[in-house]
Amino acid sequence: LEARVPPHFQVLDEAQAADLLLAARDRALESAERDAELAEALRVVAARVDGVRFGELLQAVLARRTALVAAQERLGGRDEYLARLARQFGVKPGESEAGILAEMTKPPADLERRLRDCCEHLLKGAKTDIERGNAIAGFFAGADRAALLTDYCSRFLTRDGEIRKTLATKGIGQPTQDALLEEGRRLCALEQRRRSAGVVERSTALLKLALAVVEAFEAEKKQRAALDYDDLIERTRALLAGAGGPSWVLYKLDGGFDHVLIDEAQDTSPQQWEVVRRLTEEFFAGSAAQLQKRTLFVVGDL
């Protein structure tokens, strides 16, 4: 009763929980046909990975579903959780990878004019200058700049998104060198923003899908009055850490055992360690520590 679980609950073993989670995943993905937000999330993720990798990513998130649900509850809900994720990467509200890519194709008018002028000087330089000049001229003359953007950016940036050390040979005049460097800096800043926005966009999509699966999973367990092992750990942790009832529960438990053995400590989760800490914090304090010998014995691999 203190743990707020149905008195007649059943515990799912790992195989049962895995089967139930798999069924919940299928139902959540099927619901994307009727849910525009989930459909968009599925499109974003599926566009970047194949079916096998998609399953692996989703499973990796679901393996930490307890921590995921706790984090969003602590922050006030899913939307605030996702907003915090965006802020962590410096992505502004409404900012998208597609929008930043469009911005990359449009240098300020004055800079574009100077870059067009640069082409004439580059075409009189060394082989690398000529190649860069042709690429820049072709980019500005092209009807579809988006299709040429990858090649255009490669003339200014490395694969890591950093400005190339050499944008023109020494024989090219300083005005051309300055214009190329200015465009390199602009593209570098936008590329960093694009990558951050892409990470947030894909992570947000994956999290939305995972949370939909978790919601379906929890609904199925509630209907069956079932708990899995993660639920048992979390309910116990919440019971011992909450207000009111825990003091009585801890008092009753404190008189029931004197020794705690933790095996396979390297695999013990933070939530499990919290349970251990709550159960043993009175072991070595006050009169209880003086009346009898009490021990906490931990075994594990380094």
Side-chain angles (χ1 to χ4, degrees), residues 60-119:
V61 177
L62 292 174
R64 297 183 58 82
R65 60 185 178 276
T66 300
L68 175 62
V69 172
Q72 71 160 351
E73 289 178 351
R74 185 173 64 253
L75 294 175
R78 189 200 71 170
D79 291 344
E80 180 54 33
Y81 178 83
L82 296 177
R84 178 75 65 91
L85 173 67
R87 291 196 296 271
Q88 187 73 23
F89 279 86
V91 176
K92 300 175 182 177
E95 195 170 46
S96 68
E97 186 175 15
I100 295 172
L101 282 171
E103 189 176 348
M104 294 174 78
T105 65
K106 301 174 183 177
D110 178 65
L111 178 57
E112 180 172 334
R113 178 186 58 75
R114 290 161 56 204
L115 288 169
R116 288 176 181 272
D117 292 340
C118 286
C119 295

Side-chain angles (χ1 to χ4, degrees), residues 136-170:
I136 294 173
F139 176 75
F140 289 125
D144 185 4
R145 290 187 180 183
L148 302 172
L149 183 60
T150 299
D151 181 65
Y152 177 74
C153 288
S154 72
R155 309 296 172 172
F156 297 88
L157 307 178
T158 66
R159 289 186 177 182
D160 293 330
E162 302 295 331
I163 301 174
R164 292 189 175 279
K165 292 182 179 180
T166 302
L167 294 174
T169 59
K170 293 183 179 179

Side-chain angles (χ1 to χ4, degrees), residues 65-280:
R65 60 185 178 276
T66 300
L68 175 62
V69 172
Q72 71 160 351
E73 289 178 351
R74 185 173 64 253
L75 294 175
R78 189 200 71 170
D79 291 344
E80 180 54 33
Y81 178 83
L82 296 177
R84 178 75 65 91
L85 173 67
R87 291 196 296 271
Q88 187 73 23
F89 279 86
V91 176
K92 300 175 182 177
E95 195 170 46
S96 68
E97 186 175 15
I100 295 172
L101 282 171
E103 189 176 348
M104 294 174 78
T105 65
K106 301 174 183 177
D110 178 65
L111 178 57
E112 180 172 334
R113 178 186 58 75
R114 290 161 56 204
L115 288 169
R116 288 176 181 272
D117 292 340
C118 286
C119 295
E120 180 180 348
H121 300 288
L122 289 171
L123 293 177
K124 296 178 182 178
K127 179 181 178 181
T128 54
D129 296 323
I130 295 172
E131 290 176 349
R132 182 171 283 105
N134 282 327
I136 294 173
F139 176 75
F140 289 125
D144 185 4
R145 290 187 180 183
L148 302 172
L149 183 60
T150 299
D151 181 65
Y152 177 74
C153 288
S154 72
R155 309 296 172 172
F156 297 88
L157 307 178
T158 66
R159 289 186 177 182
D160 293 330
E162 302 295 331
I163 301 174
R164 292 189 175 279
K165 292 182 179 180
T166 302
L167 294 174
T169 59
K170 293 183 179 179
I172 300 300
Q174 194 60 44
T176 297
Q177 298 273 9
D178 291 343
L180 293 174
L181 181 58
E182 184 176 343
E183 176 66 346
R185 287 171 174 167
R186 184 187 78 89
L187 290 174
C188 180
L190 288 172
E191 174 63 11
Q192 297 306 314
R193 283 173 52 200
R194 182 196 70 79
R195 294 186 181 194
S196 295
V199 169
V200 170
E201 185 176 358
R202 292 185 290 276
S203 297
T204 295
L206 185 60
L207 287 169
K208 285 180 178 179
L209 291 172
L211 288 170
V213 174
V214 171
E215 184 178 349
F217 183 51
E218 294 299 324
E220 188 64 30
K221 286 192 297 182
K222 184 176 181 180
Q223 183 177 0
R224 300 186 182 196
L227 300 175
D228 61 14
Y229 291 133
D230 286 341
D231 292 327
L232 298 181
I233 295 168
E234 179 56 29
R235 298 297 178 92
T236 303
R237 188 205 64 78
L239 171 65
L240 299 178
S247 59
W248 180 85
V249 173
L250 286 169
Y251 171 76
K252 298 292 288 185
L253 288 174
D254 189 49
F257 60 89
D258 299 322
H259 310 283
V260 175
L261 167 65
I262 307 298
D263 195 12
E264 302 292 348
Q266 75 278 359
D267 297 327
T268 302
S269 69
Q271 291 80 13
Q272 291 171 318
W273 279 117
E274 177 67 10
V275 171
V276 173
R277 187 183 71 80
R278 293 283 180 176
L279 290 174
T280 62

